[in-house]
Amino acid sequence: VEPSPTVPVFTLNAYGCQRRTPLLHHNNVLTDALLVLAENAEFNEDEGRSVAFKRAASVLKALPHTVRGMEELQGLPCLGGHSQRVIKEILEEGKSREVEATLQSQQFQAMKALTGIFGVGVKTADRWFREGLRQPSDVVDTGQKLNHTQEAGIRYYEDLNTPVTRAEADAIGQIVEEAVQAVLPGATITLTGGFRRGKPTGHDVDFLITHPEEGKEENLMPKVVSWLDDRGLLLYQKTTRNSYLEAKDGPARPPHNMDRFERCFSIFRLDRPHRRPEQQPQAGGECQAQVGGTLLGQGSEESRDWKAVRVDLVVTPASQFAFALLGWTGSQLFERELRRWAVHEKHMSLSSHALYDSTQNRYLRGSTEEEIFTHLGLEFVPPSERNA
Ligand code: 8DG
Ligand code: MN
Ligand code: MN
């Protein structure tokens, strides 16, 4: 494409962690399309292709204007040939045939519905799809063998596929706060994940729990979980203990992004605020799932005054808190870009526990997110601008 002096040219840095990416941006038509292709690539276990589409979408999210012509893309990073073809087609024809075909495809729709079951990953969903299953009710009807997580995923399918609101997240926060104060006074909870980035809704609620005095936080999770469980507030929980120090490969080089904190994947039973009948939401109004609650054992909507909500709890020692906060705030692509930047540009290894400098052969301390960005040679990006 010829350079045109009348077109404002914005350049953007190549790594998502070097850019500011707000929640609301100007190119949703294009990013929605690219993210469909990214998701489809994930369903086909092609991670490289999926990340390529996500990076392309992320660049468009960071632009301060709506893209109206291909010449505006000049000099932008991460826009590969395939992404450019999709963008071009949408700019010229209003939509992309590939994206439309993907959205219409039985495989995409089935994979979306089946991976929407908590505890079901791409591999399981793909096996089920090849066995002819298309939706969660098929899983029940064909009597598939399920683990405990997947059973909960089926039982609460509708609720777990209904976005969690900020008000619900705050209500959960109050409960977690009460639990934590009851079992360890002085401990603190911090809302992370999408809500910390300013999202109005999420698929779950993420909390970090810590105590200012290092060591006090040890074995806190089982106590918090018992407190919650005793009050009937947990519909499901799976707790994993801290394995950071005992891991064979030691803390020296955390090898992948799964961290080793004491953590709990859970489903809360959240009471719905009392509503008068005229304020009840209309049937089906806010529900995305196509499967009837009765079929999957949720009971009828009217009789339930609670909602199942996915909650992630993580306990971290004070010395690792800033790393955990940075690691759990997301977005997932922003995290991925941070780690890629650390390795490729700084010879460092970043995890949710620590930052290791391979040049100096030592760990770098960080008591705030700002310090960690400084160690990484990056300008600080506030949580609300990490929506890469
Ligand atoms: P959403 O729930 O609003 O849909 O979005 P989100 O809050 O951004 O996504 P998330 O799936 O809840 O994940 C929040 C962050 O937590 C994300 O940046 C990745 C991170 N995360 C996991 N699992 C793990 C893990 O095992 N270790 C570490 N360090 N981070 C993790 O989701
Ligand atoms: Mn989340
Ligand atoms: Mn989460």
Side-chain angles (χ1 to χ4, degrees):
V1 191
E2 282 294 304
S4 156
T6 60
V7 173
V9 175
F10 288 91
T11 56
L12 287 170
N13 288 316
Y15 287 84
C17 54
Q18 295 175 290
R19 305 188 293 257
R20 290 180 166 246
T21 315
L23 187 60
L24 301 174
H25 62 87
H26 309 275
N27 291 290
N28 284 296
V29 175
L30 297 175
T31 58
D32 286 353
L34 292 168
L35 291 175
V36 166
L37 299 183
E39 192 170 26
N40 194 48
E42 243 163 58
F43 292 157
N44 289 301
E45 293 185 78
D46 190 339
E47 207 196 348
R49 186 193 265 265
S50 172
V51 171
F53 284 128
K54 284 183 194 169
R55 286 207 184 108
S58 184
V59 161
L60 300 180
K61 290 181 189 175
L63 284 176
H65 63 275
T66 305
V67 173
R68 304 206 185 278
M70 291 304 283
E71 65 282 359
E72 295 169 42
L73 302 180
Q74 259 180 56
L76 293 181
C78 306
L79 297 175
H82 197 154
S83 292
Q84 291 198 37
R85 283 199 301 282
V86 173
I87 295 168
K88 186 164 189 279
E89 199 178 338
I90 295 174
L91 292 180
E92 288 171 359
E93 335 238 332
K95 58 186 176 194
S96 145
R97 273 164 302 172
E98 185 183 2
V99 172
E100 296 299 304
T102 302
L103 286 170
Q104 292 302 314
S105 86
Q106 223 182 27
Q107 189 207 14
F108 181 82
Q109 291 179 6
M111 288 298 286
K112 184 120 185 139
L114 296 172
T115 57
I117 303 169
F118 175 51
V120 175
V122 166
K123 284 198 165 69
T124 303
D126 185 61
R127 177 162 46 82
W128 285 344
F129 174 71
R130 284 187 281 104
E131 288 171 16
L133 280 60
R134 296 292 177 264
Q135 54 194 356
S137 59
D138 296 340
V139 176
V140 176
D141 297 344
T142 58
Q144 297 296 318
K145 195 169 180 298
L146 302 175
N147 61 33
H148 286 298
T149 311
Q150 295 164 340
E151 270 175 24
I154 290 277
R155 186 171 309 131
Y156 306 114
Y157 185 82
E158 276 196 56
D159 278 4
L160 299 187
N161 282 281
T162 305
V164 182
T165 65
R166 177 68 204 220
E168 288 166 341
D170 291 338
I172 300 265
Q174 284 183 16
I175 296 167
V176 174
E177 173 74 32
E178 197 185 341
V180 165
Q181 288 314 320
V183 301
L184 180 63
T188 63
I189 67 160
T190 306
L191 182 63
T192 63
F195 287 111
R196 182 163 183 253
R197 302 197 308 275
K199 283 180 65 181
T201 62
H203 94 283
D204 69 356
V205 195
D206 307 283
F207 292 101
L208 287 184
I209 304 170
T210 191
H211 190 283
E213 206 176 313
E214 187 97 354
K216 279 263 164 69
E217 81 294 340
E218 272 174 40
N219 300 314
L220 179 55
M221 192 70 87
K223 294 176 196 158
V224 173
V225 169
S226 299
W227 191 96
L228 294 165
D229 211 19
D230 289 348
R231 282 154 188 79
L233 296 167
L234 293 181
L235 297 166
Y236 165 91
Q237 66 88 14
K238 188 174 180 199
T239 305
T240 325
R241 49 198 275 266
N242 183 327
S243 60
Y244 186 54
L245 292 169
E246 71 202 36
K248 284 211 290 305
D249 42 323
R253 293 291 296 270
H256 49 73
N257 63 10
M258 258 321 251
D259 61 47
R260 303 198 184 96
F261 292 117
E262 253 195 308
R263 58 184 289 172
C264 179
F265 296 105
S266 72
I267 301 176
F268 270 52
R269 182 190 195 277
L270 180 66
D271 280 334
R272 291 184 200 273
H274 262 302
R275 279 179 304 223
R276 279 167 307 185
E278 67 269 22
Q279 290 174 309
Q280 298 273 339
Q282 288 174 351
E286 34 181 49
C287 233
Q288 295 182 331
Q290 321 109 324
V291 184
T294 314
L295 175 67
L296 297 181
Q298 278 192 318
S300 69
E301 282 300 307
E302 306 85 68
S303 68
R304 272 199 311 124
D305 53 359
W306 53 271
K307 180 186 179 185
V309 179
R310 272 274 298 115
V311 176
D312 283 339
L313 303 174
V314 179
V315 171
T316 161
S319 61
Q320 298 173 15
F321 179 78
F323 294 99
L325 184 61
L326 180 58
W328 278 84
T329 297
S331 67
Q332 263 164 50
L333 186 67
F334 190 89
E335 302 295 337
R336 194 185 177 110
E337 295 287 275
L338 270 178
R339 292 192 297 268
R340 192 166 67 97
W341 166 270
V343 171
H344 292 287
E345 305 297 331
K346 298 287 160 183
H347 305 289
M348 292 180 187
S349 159
L350 175 69
S351 74
S352 293
H353 296 277
L355 178 62
Y356 187 79
D357 185 335
S358 303
T359 311
Q360 304 182 54
N361 282 313
R362 67 180 186 99
Y363 286 99
L364 304 179
R365 276 176 195 288
S367 52
T368 61
E369 287 186 326
E370 282 85 348
E371 273 180 64
I372 302 170
F373 277 88
T374 303
H375 285 317
L376 289 168
L378 288 169
E379 242 178 72
F380 181 70
V381 180
S384 62
E385 310 276 346
R386 293 182 203 160
N387 291 289

